[in-house]
Amino acid sequence: TVGCVVVDGNGCCAAATSTGGLMNKLTGRIGDSPLIGCGTYACELCAISCTGEGEAIIRSTLARDVAAVMEYKGLGIQEAVDFAIKSRLDKGQAGLIAVSRHGEVACGFNTTGMFRGSATEDGFMKVGIW
Amino acid sequence: MGGWAIAVHGGAGVDPNLPAERQEEAKRVIARCLHIGITALRGGAAAVDVVEMVVRELETDPVFNSGRGSALTRRGTVEMEASIMDGHGRRCGAVSGLSTVKNPVSLARLVMDKSPHSYLAFDGAEEFAREQGVEVMDNSYFVTEENVGMLNLAKEANSILFDYRVPVPGVETCSASAGSMVDNPLQMNGLPISVYAPE
């Protein structure tokens, strides 16, 4: 699974996710990536793209949950990501990346690693796995 | 306003034994795609155009599980899926079950921009792709030798019905039932991490 989240110079957020799914999956299986609110979500506040065990991401509507705790609990983006990863996945394992309309980036995962990279206008850039 | 920002991922559940050269290769692809997005954002591009552009690049590179290099179904075919969402107006588009479209994320974008719906799947999505004239490829374009090997490993393990386990090379046997899960600290969804290695 691959994904990208962006907030542009006008403060607009967007997210996109694409995947082949799980190796040796049954034909006809739908994962989380195309399900808006599960593997992918964007609104005025933030944008999120998820990856990992699709069935857990779907059950927890993971991407929308990050946006919801920002909207209703007023959490910051990294706090919201940590909350969702820690308390929404039950025994499932997944990771996600997120940006906020204020130009912040965040990520979280409870797997051994997640291929990821991020950059901001003030010159920050990072690429990581573990 | 805090300025622009971008983040990219290539999948979670990385096999902790991933060889160093594979790690470096993955990092190079991520860095290259980040730079494509950074250049576009510096040029004033809109967020929804940048996410599509970056995910297209990731789909085209076989290193990650999407587009070319997608994981395979039990029949050895690809069934790709993608979605895109514009926070401005919360518009969205999604596709599933694609087997010929070179860049699924761009078809999802067309569903968002050029159709009255937000999600098309399987035959309907393929039909819409032809109507919209997007680039389609023969199924073999998407199938890599490495993924055929991974699929065969999974089938040999004969445990795919339950735990999608792909035996780690050198492991004599691989439990065939979900019940006899080995308590392996590196689990994902209660399954051995090796299942998700290609991810």
Side-chain angles (χ1 to χ4, degrees):
Chain A
T1 306
V2 300
C4 180
V5 289
V6 166
V7 55
D8 60 26
N10 299 315
C12 297
C13 299
T17 312
S18 180
T19 188
L22 283 180
M23 185 61 77
N24 208 18
K25 64 183 179 183
L26 305 189
T27 50
R29 173 212 182 243
I30 303 288
D32 63 286
S33 301
L35 299 181
I36 295 297
C38 297
T40 307
Y41 188 74
C43 59
E44 301 294 338
L45 277 178
C46 58
I48 298 103
S49 174
C50 304
T51 173
E53 181 224 332
E55 282 69 12
I57 294 168
I58 293 170
R59 285 197 303 268
S60 59
T61 62
L62 196 62
R64 171 58 196 155
D65 251 44
V66 172
V69 293
M70 289 181 76
E71 197 173 336
Y72 299 122
K73 293 176 78 157
L75 298 193
I77 186 94
Q78 188 60 59
E79 261 185 298
V81 168
D82 293 343
F83 172 83
I85 292 287
K86 284 194 179 74
S87 57
R88 279 293 180 269
L89 280 169
D90 303 332
K91 291 192 173 62
Q93 294 202 324
L96 67 88
I97 56 174
V99 290
S100 77
R101 67 175 167 191
H102 304 303
E104 304 153 302
V105 291
C107 80
F109 53 94
N110 63 4
T111 55
T112 48
M114 176 168 75
F115 296 112
R116 65 195 184 283
S118 55
T120 55
E121 187 165 2
D122 57 10
F124 166 83
M125 180 168 166
K126 178 171 186 268
V127 175
I129 298 179
W130 311 111
Chain B
M1 191 56 63
W4 57 256
I6 180 172
V8 173
H9 73 74
V14 185
D15 183 344
N17 305 312
L18 193 67
E21 65 274 10
R22 291 290 304 278
Q23 294 181 39
E24 289 314 310
E25 183 186 17
K27 285 182 178 178
R28 274 196 305 276
V29 174
I30 292 278
R32 186 180 86 233
C33 293
L34 260 188
H35 280 296
I36 289 171
I38 290 167
T39 306
L41 285 164
R42 282 183 177 146
V48 70
D49 296 330
V50 176
V51 294
E52 180 188 2
M53 180 192 307
V54 170
V55 171
R56 279 178 64 93
E57 186 68 21
L58 287 160
E59 288 173 336
T60 308
D61 195 298
V63 164
F64 296 119
N65 170 20
S66 71
R68 187 158 169 251
S70 281
L72 304 176
T73 67
R74 61 194 311 192
R75 290 189 190 151
T77 58
V78 294
E79 287 185 357
M80 302 173 285
E81 46 198 15
S83 66
I84 189 166
M85 186 160 191
D86 182 354
H88 187 62
R90 281 191 293 198
R91 299 181 311 123
C92 58
V95 289
S96 279
L98 298 182
S99 52
T100 66
V101 175
K102 185 180 180 196
N103 289 106
V105 73
S106 290
L107 190 65
R109 177 76 189 266
L110 287 167
V111 170
M112 177 170 81
D113 292 343
K114 300 280 178 65
S115 95
H117 306 308
S118 55
Y119 195 159
L120 289 176
F122 296 95
D123 295 350
E126 292 282 352
E127 189 181 322
F128 181 68
R130 277 147 189 78
E131 283 166 18
Q132 296 297 321
V134 301
E135 191 175 0
V136 295
M137 310 295 282
D138 178 71
N139 205 246
S140 57
Y141 164 83
F142 302 100
V143 180
T144 61
E145 231 170 271
E146 179 182 358
N147 280 347
V148 172
M150 292 300 288
L151 181 60
N152 293 333
L153 274 176
K155 288 186 179 297
E156 279 162 28
N158 193 29
S159 64
I160 201 60
L161 281 184
F162 295 105
D163 65 9
Y164 294 93
R165 179 185 308 220
V166 178
V168 178
V171 173
E172 295 71 49
T173 58
C174 183
S175 66
S177 77
S180 59
M181 239 27 113
V182 176
D183 275 343
N184 169 347
L186 295 175
Q187 301 241 329
M188 187 164 141
N189 180 29
L191 305 180
I193 196 76
S194 54
V195 171
Y196 300 94
E199 175 76 358

